[in-house]
Amino acid sequence: MVKLIDSTDRQLLKALQENAQIANVDLAKRINLSPSATHTRRKRLESEGIILSYETTIDRQALGYDLLCFIYIAMNAHQRDDITQFQHNVTCLPEVLECHHVTGEYDYILKVVLKNTNDLKHFIVEHLSSLPSVTRIQTTVSYGEVKQTTALPL
């Protein structure tokens, strides 16, 4: 369901996407509202589920995660129980940054971060190949991120 927001909400959301830690007073100045009105709008956007969370982005390579991979998964069973079980298993793996249920040749695409190729081999053999209904796995290693953002075009 599309939620209606006005131009002030849009400005507030843009500012928060650029800097989620911006002080309320500075945010209020930026969008030309009083601090209390800004706070009220922000809380409303949170309670309506438009603002889902505030996150910290960490440099993965600074912590030794040198491999960013996209792993394509094909399954031979597509019943609700199989899908639910697969999704549960994958969401429990901390290496999985994203999991997308997709159309086409594969059923899922995982965005996975690992330290090295040995970790990749272990991850595929121990965690993915052993999952029920998984029939095919294809891995693509990223050379580098050209663009990475969670900001929506407002």
Side-chain angles (χ1 to χ4, degrees):
M1 171 199 242
V2 175
K3 299 187 179 178
L4 297 177
I5 60 171
D6 63 19
S7 62
T8 304
D9 289 338
R10 213 177 292 298
Q11 286 179 319
L12 187 148
L13 292 170
K14 281 182 183 181
L16 288 174
Q17 285 187 142
E18 291 172 13
N19 179 7
Q21 292 184 314
I22 189 171
N24 191 61
V25 172
D26 296 331
L27 180 58
K29 286 178 188 173
R30 186 159 172 192
I31 65 172
N32 297 317
L33 278 183
S34 70
S36 62
T38 300
H39 179 76
T40 300
R41 277 182 181 261
R42 184 177 186 162
K43 290 300 176 191
R44 178 182 53 78
L45 292 168
E46 290 170 358
S47 69
E48 290 179 355
I50 293 172
I51 296 175
L52 298 175
S53 67
Y54 300 92
E55 298 177 8
T56 301
T57 304
I58 299 170
D59 181 345
R60 66 179 172 79
Q61 291 177 314
L63 297 180
Y65 292 97
D66 290 332
L67 282 183
L68 180 65
C69 304
F70 295 91
I71 301 176
Y72 301 80
I73 310 270
M75 298 176 63
N76 64 359
H78 297 94
Q79 286 73 34
R80 179 175 300 278
D81 289 343
D82 299 311
I83 290 169
T84 301
Q85 185 62 43
F86 176 83
Q87 290 176 356
H88 171 75
N89 289 333
V90 166
T91 57
C92 291
L93 299 170
E95 299 90 348
V96 177
L97 302 179
E98 297 177 22
C99 174
H100 299 269
H101 194 180
V102 297
T103 62
E105 186 177 349
Y106 292 93
D107 298 299
Y108 291 91
I109 300 174
L110 308 179
K111 182 178 178 182
V112 178
V113 64
L114 300 153
K115 293 196 175 198
N116 54 47
T117 55
N118 286 334
D119 282 354
L120 175 59
K121 178 183 175 184
H122 179 265
F123 182 80
I124 290 172
V125 171
E126 298 298 323
H127 296 294
L128 298 181
S129 297
S130 62
L131 292 176
S133 303
V134 170
T135 58
R136 191 165 32 129
I137 299 171
Q138 177 181 325
T139 303
T140 303
V141 175
S142 171
Y143 283 141
E145 296 160 298
V146 176
K147 179 179 180 180
Q148 176 191 2
T149 185
T150 58
L152 294 176
L154 298 171

